[in-house]
Amino acid sequence: MRKADLINQIAEKTGIPKVDVLVALEAMFKEVKDTLAQGENIYIRGFGSFITKKRAAKIGRNIKKNVAVEIPEHYIPAFKPAKEFIQEVKKLKTVKEGQPNPDEEM
């Protein structure tokens, strides 16, 4: 599902015009980004948490030049689903056709 599909479904289910749904969705995405960029986490009960994770400094390798490269510590955004969310997904029997399946090798 793409963002446009999500907007269409929300508009159909709520009766809110697509433009208003788009504005609300974009505002939500912006708030999530801005809040995580400030180092704060977002907790949505029943859905999950948007958090920042700290990655420790490490030594990587540039395989083209075969040179060790130091990667400094940094933060990355992450999503941790709520227990209710996980239980709903576990009920899934099959993946819809056309969807990538991470269990299958390419």
Side-chain angles (χ1 to χ4, degrees):
M1 177 180 281
R2 297 183 338 253
K3 183 167 64 170
D5 300 329
L6 180 62
I7 290 168
N8 288 336
Q9 287 212 349
I10 292 171
E12 286 177 18
K13 289 181 180 181
T14 61
I16 300 172
K18 290 180 187 179
V19 175
D20 294 341
V21 174
L22 173 64
V23 170
L25 203 56
E26 288 294 335
M28 185 259 195
F29 291 150
K30 185 174 181 345
E31 276 304 310
V32 169
K33 289 179 195 176
D34 292 346
T35 302
L36 290 178
Q38 294 171 4
E40 297 179 43
N41 295 333
I42 300 173
Y43 304 101
I44 303 172
R45 181 170 287 160
F47 184 73
S49 304
F50 294 94
I51 58 175
T52 53
K53 288 186 175 182
K54 184 177 182 180
R55 296 284 185 193
K58 63 182 179 180
I59 303 295
R61 182 157 297 280
N62 180 339
I63 57 173
K64 288 184 178 179
K65 297 179 182 177
N66 198 23
V67 177
V69 178
E70 184 175 334
I71 301 170
E73 75 175 20
H74 59 280
Y75 291 88
I76 61 163
F79 176 73
K80 182 179 178 192
K83 289 180 184 178
E84 296 89 2
F85 190 170
I86 293 170
Q87 293 303 318
E88 286 295 317
V89 174
K90 281 185 177 181
K91 293 176 186 176
L92 182 67
K93 301 293 183 211
T94 61
V95 177
K96 285 190 176 181
E97 203 170 304
Q99 295 287 326
N101 188 347
D103 294 334
E104 293 177 1
E105 292 183 24
M106 295 190 170

